[in-house]
Amino acid sequence: MNETEKLQELIDRYDNIVFFGGAGVSTESGILDFRSVDGLYHQKYDYPPETILSHTFFMRKPEEFYRFYRDKMLALDARPNAAHKKLAELEACGKLRAVVTQNIDGLHQAAGSHTVYELHGSVHRNYCMKCRKFYDARYMLESVGVPKCEKCGGIIKPDVVLYEEGLDDGIMYSSIRAISEAQVLIVGGTSLAVYPAAGLLRYFNGDALVLINKGATPMDQKADLLIQQPIGQVLGSIKVNEHVR
């Protein structure tokens, strides 16, 4: 029995599965990750991406922030891939209880997933820092310079967690609860290098920890099932019971 067959067996057996994912889930949709060979950290900018995507940089150099943000973070033409679609199917048939994601692209919801905890926020939510008026991602993409509120003139900020900012307490609580109650935790497309998000794995006390990632992670030795292949390829091959709960 190969690794994918073992994963199929786990999915067939359990109905309280949680998925924890990172940037690698969306690379097959054409969205660059940060740490792979072709990722953002290996491209050349006036400042490192980690600096640009910090709260301090946003406040001090908003023009530079938004130049990078529009160019590299707003991939609005990206579409869900096989991984996103399969996770939505697993939720629909009562197998998957929640998706906990570090991604900000909204592709899980676009694929049809409903219970999605976005640890780092979403590019699809943007608010005026003064009056809290909402703006969508398309408005941000088509804006020029530093986007300003049409109502009060305040600067519009994406509802994404920048470096130096804390994660949302409610999202953290819901994520911890889902992971701690799961029978199976599938971790995919993440190097498990970003904290505090990666630290959520310590709350898992279920029966099987599955790691699906092309590269090595610090948790590989603790995995009950380790699959070092592209996650879209792996999840795309999983068969889902057609019965919808």
Side-chain angles (χ1 to χ4, degrees):
M1 184 182 292
N2 64 32
E3 285 83 1
T4 303
E5 289 171 337
K6 291 176 184 175
L7 176 60
Q8 181 73 62
E9 190 177 68
L10 287 171
I11 290 173
D12 290 342
R13 188 190 315 167
Y14 292 96
D15 62 1
N16 184 351
I17 302 168
V18 168
F19 179 80
F20 178 94
V25 178
S26 292
T27 53
E28 290 172 62
S29 293
I31 296 178
L32 292 176
D33 70 352
F34 277 76
R35 291 172 176 79
S36 70
V37 174
D38 299 317
L40 292 178
Y41 278 135
H42 294 267
Q43 298 184 16
K44 296 193 186 326
Y45 296 95
D46 290 341
Y47 304 89
E50 195 167 33
T51 298
I52 297 173
L53 296 174
S54 69
H55 179 82
T56 298
F57 193 92
F58 173 80
M59 297 303 292
R60 290 179 179 173
K61 296 180 179 290
E63 298 89 353
E64 289 290 323
F65 172 89
Y66 276 110
R67 188 174 298 122
F68 177 88
Y69 183 77
R70 289 189 191 94
D71 187 33
K72 295 299 179 185
M73 309 303 287
L74 291 178
L76 302 189
D77 293 329
R79 295 293 176 261
N81 61 51
H84 299 107
K85 293 174 183 176
K86 191 65 64 173
L87 291 168
E89 287 183 52
L90 289 169
E91 182 189 42
C93 74
K95 289 286 184 180
L96 188 78
R97 297 290 179 89
V99 169
V100 180
T101 181
Q102 300 172 79
N103 296 340
I104 59 175
D105 51 46
L107 290 180
H108 285 293
Q109 292 93 330
S113 290
H114 296 284
T115 305
V116 181
Y117 301 124
E118 297 172 309
L119 294 172
H120 297 153
S122 173
V123 298
H124 297 282
R125 298 187 300 269
N126 305 273
Y127 299 95
C128 171
M129 296 176 70
K130 283 186 178 179
C131 73
R132 300 295 294 170
K133 179 176 169 59
F134 170 87
Y135 291 89
D136 63 16
R138 181 62 58 182
Y139 181 92
M140 302 298 280
L141 183 63
E142 295 174 354
S143 63
V144 177
V146 179
K148 299 291 182 64
C149 178
E150 296 174 341
K151 181 179 177 182
C152 75
I155 294 176
I156 304 169
K157 183 180 183 295
D159 187 17
V160 299
V161 180
L162 302 177
Y163 290 102
E164 304 167 348
E165 295 179 344
L167 303 190
D168 180 87
D169 288 341
I171 297 296
M172 282 289 282
Y173 174 80
S174 297
S175 300
I176 290 170
R177 181 174 179 178
I179 289 171
S180 65
E181 294 176 353
Q183 297 167 313
V184 176
L185 178 62
I186 301 174
V187 179
T190 172
S191 61
L192 295 175
V194 177
Y195 282 80
L200 293 179
L201 269 64
R202 71 177 184 270
Y203 292 99
F204 177 65
N205 296 299
D207 295 340
L209 173 64
V210 180
L211 255 61
I212 308 171
N213 197 55
K214 289 193 290 186
T217 80
M219 292 290 290
D220 286 359
Q221 292 186 334
K222 296 186 178 181
D224 297 291
L225 177 58
L226 178 64
I227 306 177
Q228 292 186 317
Q229 298 174 35
I231 189 164
Q233 174 184 316
V234 175
L235 291 183
S237 67
I238 293 297
K239 294 178 174 58
V240 178
N241 190 329
E242 291 301 320
H243 173 69
V244 179
R245 190 172 60 178

